[in-house]
Amino acid sequence: MDSVTLLYDEQERIALAVSFDYGSKHNKREIPFAQMHCEKLGIKHITIPLEFMTKYFVSSLLEGGEDIPEGHYADENMKSTVVPFRNGIMLSIAVGIAESNGLSYVMMANHGGDHTIYPDCRPEFVEAFDQAAAAGTYVNVHLRSPYTNITKADIARRGKTLGIDYSQTWSCYKGGEKHCGRCGTCVERREALAAAGIPDPTVYEGPEEQ
């Protein structure tokens, strides 16, 4: 939801969209939607493989990791979904791509709800990475993260204004045929859509979740 909203929100400023296939359990569900929305908007989209992460990193989010926990992001067990320094690694690659193409900034769609358990989504990380990117490039690439201090519900409200069809997005960390409705990102998705007054178009597992 977050990245697709940012894509539409900033489409006039986006020259290239990048997905990373890093072996997460939901990559195979997310990436086709990213490609579809980029094609719709006429934005070039590339996918960069990062297979090494499943081999060397420990996270329940990755293929081969432990089961994805269920519950709210505020729950302690959700920390198992952290992929160590994921955003730092992916943004570093994006900065290199930006400088190679003469582009002046990279963007990510982190938001306030991520701050509890994801260190590389917090304002202090965004500020530090922005400074490092500018200092480490000849073209002074900057990091733009416009959703850092707003909630996912705020993002959903923005998406509602933009007319985004959220049925054409994927959130569930488990990466099954349908959203599980019970993992942290499913719970947050449902809460955000409800707060924004958007009828939930998501297909969940089991009749009780419809």
Side-chain angles (χ1 to χ4, degrees), residues 39-72:
E39 289 176 357
K40 180 178 179 180
L41 296 174
I43 296 172
K44 182 180 179 181
H45 174 264
I46 61 173
T47 298
I48 297 177
L50 300 176
E51 297 99 333
F52 71 89
M53 295 179 80
T54 57
K55 185 175 181 179
Y56 298 110
F57 290 20
V58 176
S59 171
S60 65
L61 200 66
L62 300 174
E63 294 287 354
E66 62 187 59
D67 291 342
I68 297 289
E70 296 180 353
H72 198 278

Side-chain angles (χ1 to χ4, degrees), residues 21-183:
D21 188 354
Y22 60 102
S24 79
K25 293 172 181 174
H26 59 298
N27 267 159
K28 64 182 180 296
R29 306 294 293 172
E30 280 188 331
I31 293 175
F33 280 128
Q35 180 68 43
M36 182 206 74
H37 287 290
C38 287
E39 289 176 357
K40 180 178 179 180
L41 296 174
I43 296 172
K44 182 180 179 181
H45 174 264
I46 61 173
T47 298
I48 297 177
L50 300 176
E51 297 99 333
F52 71 89
M53 295 179 80
T54 57
K55 185 175 181 179
Y56 298 110
F57 290 20
V58 176
S59 171
S60 65
L61 200 66
L62 300 174
E63 294 287 354
E66 62 187 59
D67 291 342
I68 297 289
E70 296 180 353
H72 198 278
Y73 270 136
D75 298 340
E76 183 69 18
N77 64 348
M78 291 300 163
K79 288 185 178 179
S80 76
T81 64
V82 173
V83 179
F85 209 58
R86 174 182 62 177
N87 284 343
I89 293 166
M90 295 178 182
L91 286 170
S92 295
I93 294 170
V95 167
I97 292 172
E99 182 160 39
S100 296
N101 288 274
L103 304 176
S104 58
Y105 60 87
V106 296
M107 305 177 73
M108 71 170 179
N110 61 305
H111 61 82
D114 294 328
H115 300 173
T116 303
I117 59 170
Y118 298 119
D120 56 359
C121 288
R122 295 171 185 163
E124 53 266 40
F125 169 81
V126 171
E127 181 179 354
F129 191 92
D130 174 61
Q131 293 176 0
T137 55
Y138 280 115
V139 297
N140 298 317
V141 175
H142 282 278
L143 171 60
R144 177 171 166 76
S145 304
Y147 299 160
T148 297
N149 294 308
I150 67 173
T151 67
K152 196 179 190 79
D154 293 326
I155 293 173
R157 292 185 187 99
R158 182 61 183 157
K160 184 178 181 180
T161 300
L162 293 166
I164 296 173
D165 179 4
Y166 283 124
S167 70
Q168 300 298 307
T169 62
W170 186 266
S171 297
C172 183
Y173 279 165
K174 295 186 180 183
E177 290 302 311
K178 300 177 182 178
H179 283 70
C180 75
R182 299 178 300 278
C183 68

